[in-house]
Amino acid sequence: MVSKNVQDLMEKMTIQEKIGQLIQLSADFFQGDNVAITGPLKEAHLGEAALYSAGSVLGISGAQTVRKVQKNYLKHSRLGIPLLFMADVVHGYKTIFPIPLALGASFDPQVMKTASATAAKESAAGGVHVTFAPMVDLVRDPRWGRVMESTGEDPYLNSVMAKAAVTGFQGTLPLDQNHIAACVKHFAAYGAPEAGREYNTVDISEWRFREQYLPAYAAAIEAQALLVMTSFNTLFGVPATVNQHLMRDILRDELQFHGVLISDWDAIGEIIHHGVAGDLQHAADLALKAGVDIDMMSFAYAKYLAKAASLDPQIEQLINESAQRILILKEQLGLFTDPYRGLSTERETEATLTTENLDAAQAAAEQSMVLLKNSHHTLPLNTATAISLVGPVADTGDILGSWSWQGDPDQTETIADALAKQFSNFTVMPGTQYHHVQFSKLNDAVNASRQQETIVAVLGLPASESGEATSMTDITLPAEQLTLLRGLAQLNKPLVTIVITGRPLDLTEVDALSDAVLLAWFPGSRGGAAIANVLSGRVDPSGRLPMTFPRNIGQVPIYYNAYNTGRPISGTPADDENKYLSKYIDAANSPLYPFGFGLSYGDFTITDWTLSQHNVTPDQPLTIQATIHNSADHAGTTVVQLYTHQQVGETVQPVKQLQAFKKVSLGADQTQTITLTVPYDQLSTIHSDLHRSTDQGDYTVMLGFDSTCTASQPFTVAHQ
Ligand code: NOJ
């Protein structure tokens, strides 16, 4: 339904004004006392008129600044159509939550929802209307730095998290002033660049795309995300941004997405490099025809649409459709009623960095940390233990992670400072920087550690080494840090390694050298306090891996829901009779740490589990009751995971597919019975005709605490 207001505006607007709505410019065009800044305009070969009619801007925030820019802009807007402010509010605004991959590791959609709702509340108070989030690209290759922005390798987990993020950012529609519009990205399959190299070609079959990559985008759209962003990559041989099959057939027709489609930064211009458009005019034409409403920073629409519209009524019609969608979005944001959305510096101060927000960020960090190894109960540590704290990340605020532009590492409590609040006896000596070492300092750190009872090494990578444009071919820790760790390991003292990273790393040697390994990701504003709580045992680290951790780079891409192949390996790989099976001759097929893995301070078992019935139909979902017991003498949290496998399908089936999970917290020696349900439709798969349906036949269901679980029971599926 188009409102009277939008209809009236559409009638009054000139074609130039409508095209203006389709243009997004960056912040530098709008700074200063006037709207127009001539420098960037000149560079882009744009006239002032183009700027005054530009419908949206990215990267401006702050109550005062946004007010000022909006006021100046409205002075120039003939019809009083407000400017739309968009920004990348990814895992927090001022209060920084753990990175999205860590939020995925929480295996708790409520954690993602709270993180997104908090980010929305703070950034809305800072004048942001739309966030370029969530990023729901399925990822399997840790060489690609943007895995940190995703929730991992699993279609189901990604879908659950996508929905939670959209509802967190947007609340229940219609949007209120504490929520912002979500822009799902990057449509589509941006997470599958060949060889993990940023911006590289993506080429996966449409069958696989629909089976594994599409579900999370679909879930976000079903959750009513108001925008979608195109991706830089190609898909099915055509760049996504101008791919009519992807954008028209799949996004608009099948997924019924009626919101605003925005290009990624200069993605329309890049069509020329892709070799699918001869020039920018051609690129503009292709993008508009594919249904891209907003051109982010290629200037193609600004320069060429007016002329194209005057020659071709179809182009004019498409411009009308896009302009109308953008006006509807502005209306959904309430901008025609209040172009400032209740902005004030008082509200901004009250809403940001509150104790409540920071506590929520800390809880999220605690729930996303993954305990990868804990020999002989090395952790938790007694708070009186004499600790030697070493490593480049021990005493820095660089624990926020990429895409946290409003977060301030200098104002962030370091791990050392946070530990000081709980541990009475420790020394800090980094020993090495991330990539540079002075051997005298390294020796000092090792020698100092000799005097202490336990060593805690905080190793990892700086935030600048994950996120956009940070692909890498070597995913081991830098040599300097491994040298330090080897030196420490020789002291034969309990050695705890905390890993700060935005991506899965090859931790094979770290695992071998350490007694305990805690994966803390980039834990955000209160990451230090969360780590201190985990080390002291005040909280159980309850994250589970949302991506498989390989033994080495050569195994990549490695993921749990793989296909069996015609020659699956079982038995001993080195045996002669196993020579021609699917395997490596220099490494196991299995990863170092599997998807879904993570230890607890509790000691959990599934003592009993039953299916309500062994036949699943459209009216009768797969329902499992399981009894979980914590036999430890203290509380703990686990994640019960349910996987299924279809025995025989028309297409190949993954060896296992996550279908449900539940986080369970139990006190010492406590027992709880839980129910997990998988609806009939969720058992559906994509067939070779590219349609999704649920097959009748034999299946197995597996239950456990990670993706290697083997306890299984059979069930059948019937159409009724
Ligand atoms: C490029 C990135 O790919 C995208 O994720 C981001 O939202 C835009 N730049 C805007 O910053």
Side-chain angles (χ1 to χ4, degrees):
M1 263 295 284
V2 183
S3 70
K4 171 99 181 34
N5 174 41
V6 169
Q7 279 177 25
D8 286 351
L9 282 172
M10 285 297 294
E11 270 166 34
K12 289 183 199 146
M13 284 163 87
T14 63
I15 186 76
Q16 198 63 59
E17 285 167 332
K18 288 174 184 165
I19 293 169
Q21 293 302 313
L22 279 53
I23 297 164
Q24 176 161 107
L25 299 175
S26 58
D28 45 342
F29 285 83
F30 290 88
Q31 306 292 0
D33 287 334
N34 290 312
V35 183
I37 296 286
T38 42
L41 276 179
K42 238 187 187 164
E43 249 170 67
H45 305 288
L46 288 180
E48 278 194 7
L51 182 76
Y52 290 133
S53 65
S56 58
V57 57
L58 83 150
I60 299 185
S61 71
Q64 228 180 352
T65 314
V66 169
R67 260 194 170 273
K68 193 172 86 184
V69 173
Q70 185 72 288
K71 198 167 158 214
N72 285 336
Y73 177 87
L74 283 171
K75 275 193 215 150
H76 295 271
S77 173
R78 184 177 71 93
L79 297 168
I81 303 173
L83 182 63
L84 195 53
F85 291 76
M86 307 199 188
D88 291 277
V89 179
V90 175
H91 53 111
Y93 180 64
K94 298 268 185 195
T95 302
I96 305 300
F97 281 72
I99 55 169
L101 192 58
L103 296 173
S106 75
F107 272 74
D108 184 348
Q110 191 54 46
V111 170
M112 176 60 94
K113 193 172 167 192
T114 304
S116 309
T118 308
K121 196 170 175 193
E122 288 195 353
S123 61
V128 176
H129 303 155
V130 173
T131 176
F132 297 129
M135 188 274 225
V136 303
D137 304 322
L138 185 134
V139 291
R140 291 174 165 168
D141 193 334
R143 291 173 296 186
W144 192 53
R146 298 195 80 169
V147 301
M148 58 125 336
E149 288 172 66
S150 161
T151 50
E153 73 185 34
D154 181 60
Y156 175 69
L157 179 64
N158 285 359
S159 300
V160 170
M161 290 295 175
K163 182 176 171 206
V166 171
T167 13
F169 284 127
Q170 296 191 163
T172 334
L173 296 181
L175 287 166
D176 64 29
Q177 290 189 342
N178 284 324
H179 290 89
I180 57 178
C183 176
V184 180
K185 66 190 188 185
H186 306 79
F187 200 70
Y190 182 40
E194 285 182 358
R197 201 184 75 215
E198 183 69 296
Y199 314 126
N200 202 8
T201 304
V202 170
D203 190 13
I204 50 180
S205 69
E206 187 164 340
W207 168 74
R208 201 169 210 195
F209 169 67
R210 287 175 177 275
E211 179 73 6
Q212 292 154 349
Y213 290 79
L214 193 56
Y217 305 107
I221 290 162
E222 205 183 307
Q224 295 189 292
L226 293 171
L227 297 93
V228 169
M229 184 188 289
T230 73
S231 56
F232 289 127
N233 54 277
T234 55
L235 191 60
F236 321 137
V238 178
T241 303
V242 296
N243 191 320
Q244 290 205 24
H245 176 50
L246 181 66
M247 299 305 177
R248 294 269 177 207
D249 303 343
I250 300 180
L251 180 66
R252 297 284 191 198
D253 294 348
E254 269 181 50
L255 300 185
Q256 287 288 299
F257 174 67
H258 305 300
V260 170
L261 179 62
I262 183 170
S263 80
D264 201 343
W265 180 287
D266 192 26
I268 300 180
E270 291 177 12
I271 303 309
I272 302 169
H273 286 300
H274 278 295
V276 168
D279 54 30
L280 200 57
Q281 180 168 358
H282 187 188
D285 184 68
L286 291 174
L288 193 74
K289 287 184 175 150
V292 177
D293 299 313
I294 299 183
D295 170 7
M296 184 200 291
M297 289 300 288
S298 88
F299 314 117
Y301 282 7
K303 288 179 184 162
Y304 298 109
L305 284 193
K307 186 164 159 240
S310 70
L311 299 172
D312 182 352
Q314 191 209 348
I315 296 283
E316 189 179 349
Q317 174 57 25
L318 292 174
I319 293 169
N320 281 336
E321 288 171 16
S322 291
Q324 182 167 298
R325 280 196 280 261
I326 296 157
L327 294 183
I328 292 174
L329 175 63
K330 292 187 175 184
E331 190 165 66
Q332 285 168 316
L333 282 155
L335 291 174
F336 292 115
T337 322
D338 174 7
Y340 304 101
R341 294 191 93 218
L343 276 188
S344 72
T345 39
E346 296 75 45
R347 174 181 157 204
E348 185 176 34
T349 315
E350 271 167 32
T352 45
L353 289 169
T354 62
T355 309
E356 187 192 346
N357 295 356
L358 288 162
D359 286 350
Q362 182 174 328
E366 291 165 355
Q367 292 183 64
S368 64
M369 286 184 199
V370 189
L371 185 59
L372 296 172
K373 180 176 182 183
N374 196 18
S375 300
H376 317 297
H377 298 288
T378 306
L379 290 177
L381 301 173
N382 186 311
T383 50
T385 312
I387 294 172
S388 168
L389 187 65
V390 300
V393 210
D395 203 13
T396 161
D398 189 10
I399 54 171
L400 300 180
S402 178
W403 295 110
S404 55
W405 53 293
Q406 288 288 322
D408 184 355
D410 292 335
Q411 298 295 315
T412 302
E413 184 179 50
T414 70
I415 295 166
D417 286 345
L419 285 192
K421 292 180 181 158
Q422 288 191 52
F423 291 85
S424 45
N425 185 357
F426 74 94
T427 57
V428 193
M429 212 170 273
T432 175
Q433 295 174 302
Y434 291 101
H435 293 286
H436 304 282
V437 70
Q438 260 178 291
F439 283 97
S440 59
K441 292 209 165 134
L442 190 142
N443 288 335
D444 287 348
V446 174
N447 284 331
S449 301
R450 236 181 265 280
Q451 318 304 320
Q452 306 292 77
E453 286 167 79
T454 295
I455 305 163
V456 176
V458 195
L459 310 181
L461 300 174
S464 57
E465 291 179 29
S466 59
E468 190 175 351
T470 61
S471 292
M472 47 173 64
T473 59
D474 180 356
I475 54 164
T476 49
L477 281 173
E480 298 75 5
Q481 299 188 42
L482 288 173
T483 307
L484 173 66
L485 199 65
R486 287 179 204 129
L488 296 166
Q490 282 181 1
L491 303 179
N492 285 323
K493 291 180 185 272
L495 174 56
V496 178
T497 303
I498 298 173
V499 183
I500 304 292
T501 178
R503 66 176 93 217
L505 295 171
D506 164 357
L507 295 177
T508 299
E509 188 175 357
V510 172
D511 181 282
L513 294 173
S514 314
D515 298 290
V517 181
L518 177 69
L519 172 65
W521 310 104
F522 281 96
S525 301
R526 280 276 195 85
I531 288 173
N533 275 351
V534 167
L535 292 187
S536 68
R538 278 195 195 168
V539 302
D540 197 15
S542 62
R544 300 294 181 261
L545 292 181
M547 272 185 91
T548 302
F549 272 48
R551 291 177 191 276
N552 63 42
I553 191 80
Q555 289 186 316
V556 166
I558 179 169
Y559 45 92
Y560 84 94
N561 48 354
Y563 303 105
N564 210 26
T565 81
R567 295 187 177 199
I569 177 98
S570 65
T572 312
D575 287 356
D576 273 355
E577 73 258 30
N578 291 334
K579 178 167 168 62
Y580 291 100
L581 298 183
S582 180
K583 63 177 172 94
Y584 299 103
I585 58 169
D586 62 346
N589 281 10
S590 63
L592 182 64
Y593 307 120
F595 173 86
F597 175 73
L599 302 168
S600 161
Y601 294 156
D603 198 353
F604 291 92
T605 41
I606 299 171
T607 52
D608 180 45
W609 63 292
T610 51
L611 278 63
S612 300
Q613 68 283 322
H614 285 266
N615 195 27
V616 171
T617 66
D619 306 324
Q620 221 174 227
L622 174 65
T623 307
I624 275 162
Q625 292 218 320
T627 306
I628 319 297
H629 178 63
N630 173 20
S631 58
D633 57 6
H634 44 81
T637 300
T638 190
V639 178
V640 183
Q641 301 166 36
L642 183 157
Y643 298 84
T644 61
H645 171 67
Q646 183 180 337
Q647 303 288 37
V648 178
E650 185 242 338
T651 63
V652 293
Q653 300 296 323
V655 289
K656 243 179 217 150
Q657 176 56 56
L658 182 70
Q659 300 283 14
F661 55 83
K662 194 163 211 158
K663 218 163 188 177
V664 180
S665 296
L666 291 179
D669 200 28
Q670 254 190 359
T671 300
Q672 191 185 325
T673 300
I674 59 160
T675 304
L676 292 166
T677 307
V678 184
Y680 169 90
D681 283 347
Q682 203 182 305
L683 294 166
S684 64
T685 56
I686 301 291
H687 290 68
S688 48
D689 64 1
L690 302 182
H691 284 98
R692 184 171 274 286
S693 60
T694 305
D695 289 331
Q696 303 200 61
D698 294 331
Y699 291 68
T700 41
V701 53
M702 291 150 272
L703 200 69
F705 299 119
D706 65 52
S707 61
T708 62
C709 62
T710 49
S712 75
Q713 297 200 39
F715 69 99
T716 54
V717 170
H719 290 335
Q720 43 185 299

